[in-house]
């Protein structure tokens, strides 16, 4: 399932519209390093990395996760020489202070309940670390309808996903677990995604929030709209 999501994000220019937002975050943070939280397999960043390096040739991306997928991280690392990863668990709610850079989360913030989501933002403030959060779906009829048709995309794209895995073929066509999981994950993710108003509400509850500049909104990006939150230290 993560192979499909990463393939989709890399082949559809899904993140095209957020490139200026990340560049702004890097510039205001005066850093050339991205600390990616809840990275999953990390492969979804391959296209975005190539775009960002056009204006930031010294960019470095560090992949982290509470349950680090080391084989997937190693595969992503082979795609570009500026990827690295942390082998040990990293909790997005309490990131080690030695991991310095612009924190990012892609399509993962909705997995956290409000208390935990607020803690992620609070930890960024407490450690004086800028943070950028991006979601590719929203709680809307159009987003849910798009997710309902997602199994068709899985069936059409699976033969082109690399590296080839026989298990992917089996669990897509013979035993269609992957299309069903993608459908379920997509609909649930849409229903759980924070709205712009809810993002702002999370920010309003933070301590010392005035020490950061906050920006929340939506931007057209590829075939969809990306909801984003950018918090940079003043």
């Amino acid at each position: 399932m993560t192979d499909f999501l990463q393939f989709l994000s890399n082949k559809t220019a899904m993140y095209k519209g957020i490139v200026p937002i990340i560049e702004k975050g890097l510039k205001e943070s005066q850093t050339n390093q991205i600390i990616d939280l809840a990275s999953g397999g990390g492969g979804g960043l391959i296209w975005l990395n190539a775009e960002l390096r056009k204006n930031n040739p010294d960019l470095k991306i560090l992949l982290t996760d509470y349950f680090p997928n080391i084989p997937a991280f190693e595969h992503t690392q082979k795609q570009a020489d500026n990827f690295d990863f942390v082998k040990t668990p990293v909790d997005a709610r309490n990131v080690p202070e030695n991991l310095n850079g612009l924190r990012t989360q892609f399509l993962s913030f909705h997995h956290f309940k409000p208390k935990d989501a607020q803690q992620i933002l609070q930890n960024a403030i407490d450690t004086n670390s800028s943070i950028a959060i991006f979601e590719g779906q929203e709680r809307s009829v159009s987003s849910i309808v798009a997710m309902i048709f997602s199994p068709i995309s899985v069936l059409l794209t699976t033969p082109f996903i690399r590296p080839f895995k026989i298990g992917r073929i089996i669990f897509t066509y013979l035993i269609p677990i992957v299309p069903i999981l993608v459908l379920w994950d997509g609909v649930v993710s849409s229903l759980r995604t924070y709205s712009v108003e809810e993002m702002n509400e999370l920010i309003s509850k933070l301590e010392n929030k005035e020490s950061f500049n906050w920006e929340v909104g939506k931007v057209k990006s590829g075939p969809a709209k990306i909801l984003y939150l950018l918090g940079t230290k003043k």
Side-chain angles (χ1 to χ4, degrees):
M1 185 172 72
T2 56
D3 285 348
F4 165 73
L5 296 175
Q6 292 169 5
F7 179 85
L8 202 65
S9 62
N10 286 319
K11 297 299 182 182
T12 64
M14 177 180 175
Y15 293 138
K16 185 176 182 179
I18 67 173
V19 170
I21 298 170
I22 299 177
E23 289 180 337
K24 179 180 180 180
L26 291 168
K27 182 178 180 180
E28 293 190 3
S29 306
Q30 298 181 340
T31 183
N32 68 336
Q33 176 154 279
I34 288 175
I35 307 297
D36 191 51
L37 307 174
S39 296
L45 293 176
I46 295 171
W47 181 92
L48 182 59
N49 173 57
E51 288 297 304
L52 289 171
R53 292 185 82 179
K54 292 177 181 178
N55 293 327
N56 297 273
D58 297 325
L59 178 70
K60 298 183 183 301
I61 299 179
L62 187 67
L63 305 174
T64 75
D65 203 284
Y66 194 69
F67 300 101
N69 185 338
I70 303 303
F73 284 174
E74 290 175 341
H75 174 73
T76 298
Q77 188 181 43
K78 293 176 182 178
Q79 310 308 308
D81 59 7
N82 63 320
F83 278 111
D84 203 352
F85 59 89
V86 178
K87 295 182 179 180
T88 54
V90 173
D91 189 341
R93 300 165 299 180
N94 186 24
V95 180
E97 292 191 29
N98 64 308
L99 299 183
N100 300 311
L102 171 66
R103 297 180 183 180
T104 59
Q105 281 191 241
F106 295 90
L107 315 183
S108 62
F109 197 62
H110 62 272
H111 289 294
F112 295 88
K113 295 180 179 180
K115 180 181 177 181
D116 297 314
Q118 184 177 330
Q119 193 173 346
I120 290 172
L121 300 177
Q122 188 64 61
N123 183 251
I125 293 176
D126 294 343
T127 56
N128 210 28
S129 301
S130 297
I131 187 167
I133 292 168
F134 304 96
E135 293 281 17
Q137 69 289 318
E138 60 182 336
R139 200 184 315 132
S140 68
V141 173
S142 59
S143 182
I144 293 173
V145 169
M147 298 305 174
I148 290 174
F149 286 100
S150 62
I152 297 175
S153 299
V154 176
L155 297 174
L156 294 176
T157 60
T158 292
F160 305 99
I161 300 176
R162 296 292 182 272
F164 176 83
K165 297 178 183 177
I166 189 63
R168 188 188 302 119
I169 301 299
I170 293 173
F171 292 112
T172 297
Y173 299 106
L174 299 181
I175 308 173
I177 293 176
V178 175
I180 293 171
L181 286 178
V182 168
L183 169 62
W184 171 255
D185 180 70
V187 172
V188 173
S189 295
S190 294
L191 294 173
R192 293 187 59 174
T193 298
Y194 294 98
S195 66
V196 170
E197 293 75 21
E198 289 166 339
M199 289 279 205
N200 282 316
E201 185 179 353
L202 288 174
I203 294 171
S204 70
K205 297 177 180 178
L206 301 174
E207 297 179 4
N208 301 318
K209 58 182 177 294
E210 62 279 355
S211 64
F212 269 47
N213 293 313
W214 299 98
E215 183 179 329
V216 181
K218 298 179 184 178
V219 61
K220 186 74 171 66
S221 185
K225 284 185 178 180
I226 301 290
L227 185 149
Y228 72 91
L229 177 152
L230 177 64
T232 55
K233 52 189 178 181
K234 292 183 177 178

